[in-house]
Amino acid sequence: MTVKDLELTGRHTSVAVPQLMVQGVLTWLRSRLVSGAVCVCVGACLLLHYCSVCQNKSWQKLKTMVHFSPFVVSFKKRYPWVQLAGHAGNFQAGEFGRLLKRYCECEQQCLQKLMKDTLRPYVPGYYGVVQRDEQDYNLMDDLLADFDSPSIMDCKMGSRTYLEEELTKARERPRLRKDMYDKMVAVDPGAPTEEERAQQGVLKPRYMQWRETLSSTATLGFRIEGIKKADGTCNTNFKKTKQREQVMQALKDFVDGNTQILKLYLERLEELRSVLDQSVFFRTHEVVGSSLLFVHDSSGKARVWMIDFGKTVPLPPDQTLDHRTPWVEGNREDGYLWGLDNLIDILSSMLPQTP
Ligand SMILES: Nc1ncnc2c1ncn2[C@@H]1O[C@H](COP(=O)(O)OP(=O)(O)OP(=O)(O)O)[C@@H](O)[C@H]1O
Ligand SMILES: O=P(O)(O)O[C@@H]1[C@H](O)[C@H](O)[C@@H](OP(=O)(O)O)[C@H](OP(=O)(O)O)[C@H]1O
């Protein structure tokens, strides 16, 4: 369920730890772990606390990964930092409340443009590319830095989680993914077709579409990827959270029923929506796989930011998107605003109605 050898797939492969020691930890985890998100937390915490201690050593190729984030990293023992979703080993601690995310040119281009866009207050501040141990990173604000024991939620936005160009590539050069087949079977043994079963592999777009329809991505235009609460509990098991009522329950649990926090989140999302309507960047980009990061703490502070622009790409000069029109191949619509409308609607319905 949690730790296993993995077919190497691009960005999954490196973490900042000596390989042998990590393999020892992983072997221990593999032999000991039982199911449950809290156990995942503890295991990942042990491993990645160690990673952070060793963060000045060179990054090494590691043919193993911890499945199912979150990854809890103690950044220089200052405060625990949590990676709720995404690829393992992509982040390192920076200085002064900043963090380093493994370099991705597409993300760099977006963050640079976003620093000059009306969306600037809704994305992490960006400070350029830095090198550590021969690896390039994008340096950005750590959005958790100003919070005390924060509760965090990652919501992946949009009705589509793969780029149109990924579809084209998969058609031109179909590549069967055994790791995705295995992830599919782990959730639903009946999901693969007979052909996929015989091949023991699925194409990436097929897997991504299956994930979209299993969760709320296809029906609501967003899905919860993970939640970590101030009490230390973590849950990344939202693959089947699909119905509006299930989403509401997860949100209610995330804020511990605190309507004041819900209200602050709602206000922030409404502001974000009106800024998105004005944003040149947003109008001229296909925004896929990007998340909203929700953060609050017991002081009553609650904020939301847009993160992850690794699959946000510029449109041709003559094209714009409204981000609400349903997607058909070729129109490049991503359903981002449709998802945000739904999220806002759900949060509003959870608040007591004012006469
Ligand atoms: N600027 C930030 N400040 C604080 N936490 C962050 C920040 N950026 C990312 N995170 C944490 O890391 C997680 C993964 O981030 P992100 O989606 O950018 O990674 P990724 O590896 O590109 O993901 P994906 O696999 O979806 O492409 C988030 O869920 C969040 O917990
Ligand atoms: O959440 P899951 O079920 O583990 O599936 C992963 C998730 O959809 C990621 O967003 C995706 O990375 P990208 O968004 O960067 O494509 C990754 O593809 P990958 O394995 O090809 O990196 C998937 O494996």
Side-chain angles (χ1 to χ4, degrees):
M1 114 24 231
T2 50
V3 184
K4 64 182 231 175
D5 292 333
L6 185 86
E7 175 196 349
L8 289 184
T9 52
R11 292 181 296 149
H12 281 121
T13 52
S14 300
V15 291
V17 282
Q19 184 167 356
L20 283 175
M21 296 203 65
V22 168
Q23 277 174 342
V25 176
L26 290 170
T27 306
W28 181 84
L29 287 171
R30 193 185 287 122
S31 66
R32 296 296 170 95
L33 278 179
V34 291
S35 54
V38 175
C39 293
V40 177
C41 261
V42 173
C45 183
L46 274 174
L47 176 63
L48 285 144
H49 177 76
Y50 182 73
C51 295
S52 75
V53 172
C54 299
Q55 67 194 3
N56 291 326
K57 304 249 172 83
S58 63
W59 282 42
Q60 299 186 13
K61 289 281 175 199
L62 180 74
K63 297 194 176 183
T64 0
M65 71 170 283
V66 179
H67 258 302
F68 298 163
S69 306
F71 307 109
V72 183
V73 187
S74 177
F75 274 12
K76 298 188 172 163
K77 296 203 163 73
R78 205 158 45 85
Y79 55 91
W81 185 83
V82 177
Q83 181 187 340
L84 259 186
H87 293 88
N90 260 2
F91 292 88
Q92 289 231 11
E95 288 176 328
F96 317 117
R98 293 176 184 175
L99 60 82
L100 287 71
K101 180 174 175 186
R102 186 172 290 245
Y103 180 74
C104 156
E105 191 187 348
C106 176
E107 187 154 50
Q108 177 207 24
Q109 299 293 312
C110 289
L111 287 166
Q112 269 175 351
K113 290 186 220 166
L114 282 162
M115 290 305 98
K116 297 182 194 140
D117 191 83
T118 47
L119 281 171
R120 168 73 189 79
Y122 298 87
V123 298
Y126 177 63
Y127 307 97
V129 180
V130 294
Q131 235 192 20
R132 189 182 276 181
D133 301 323
E134 291 169 27
Q135 168 69 50
D136 284 344
Y137 294 89
N138 283 317
L139 182 64
M140 64 184 80
D141 278 333
D142 175 4
L143 302 169
L144 309 185
D146 290 337
F147 291 81
D148 191 18
S149 298
S151 294
I152 313 157
M153 174 172 71
D154 179 310
C155 276
K156 192 171 272 204
M157 299 304 292
S159 54
R160 177 164 55 90
T161 55
Y162 51 89
L163 287 165
E164 287 203 6
E165 66 192 43
E166 290 183 88
L167 269 187
T168 317
K169 253 191 227 157
R171 275 190 208 116
E172 284 167 0
R173 270 178 291 123
R175 189 164 87 83
L176 286 175
R177 294 278 300 261
K178 173 153 177 28
D179 60 325
M180 288 185 161
Y181 175 85
D182 290 342
K183 286 199 279 186
M184 194 181 228
V185 170
V187 176
D188 178 3
T193 62
E194 235 167 73
E195 192 187 2
E196 287 164 346
R197 217 178 297 282
Q199 295 166 332
Q200 295 279 296
V202 292
L203 298 175
K204 179 165 175 177
R206 151 80 169 133
Y207 175 79
M208 301 295 264
Q209 283 163 0
W210 170 77
R211 286 274 277 121
E212 289 165 9
T213 48
L214 193 71
S215 67
S216 56
T217 291
T219 47
L220 293 172
F222 72 90
R223 71 173 179 237
I224 299 175
E225 289 277 288
I227 288 178
K228 186 248 161 199
K229 290 175 59 176
D231 63 10
T233 54
C234 310
N235 187 358
T236 55
N237 186 18
F238 292 101
K239 283 198 168 78
K240 292 192 201 171
T241 301
K242 176 177 178 132
Q243 305 304 333
R244 191 182 159 99
E245 293 67 32
Q246 291 174 295
V247 172
M248 280 169 87
Q249 190 50 52
L251 294 174
K252 198 170 157 196
D253 181 52
F254 171 54
V255 299
D256 272 329
N258 185 329
T259 49
Q260 193 48 38
I261 297 287
L262 270 186
K263 205 162 161 263
L264 290 175
Y265 278 141
L266 178 61
E267 281 166 12
R268 175 89 171 163
L269 290 181
E270 284 172 340
E271 273 167 32
L272 171 63
R273 183 167 57 182
S274 59
V275 175
L276 285 168
D277 279 335
Q278 309 300 319
S279 163
V280 174
F281 177 90
F282 192 57
R283 213 170 20 250
T284 56
H285 284 74
E286 180 183 356
V287 184
V288 167
S290 178
S291 286
L292 287 178
L293 191 68
F294 292 69
V295 190
H296 67 269
D297 66 16
S298 59
S299 74
K301 200 161 43 170
R303 302 290 294 279
V304 184
W305 289 270
M306 295 171 78
I307 58 163
D308 195 0
F309 302 99
K311 293 211 294 192
T312 292
V313 290
L315 299 164
D318 55 342
Q319 196 180 357
T320 56
L321 299 181
D322 66 28
H323 302 277
R324 284 191 178 95
T325 300
W327 177 64
V328 286
E329 195 172 346
N331 77 1
R332 298 185 68 170
E333 285 290 351
D334 51 39
Y336 193 106
L337 279 181
W338 175 58
L340 187 55
D341 290 341
N342 284 325
L343 187 50
I344 286 175
D345 187 59
I346 289 174
L347 284 171
S348 309
S349 71
M350 292 169 65
L351 284 168
Q353 300 304 310
T354 40

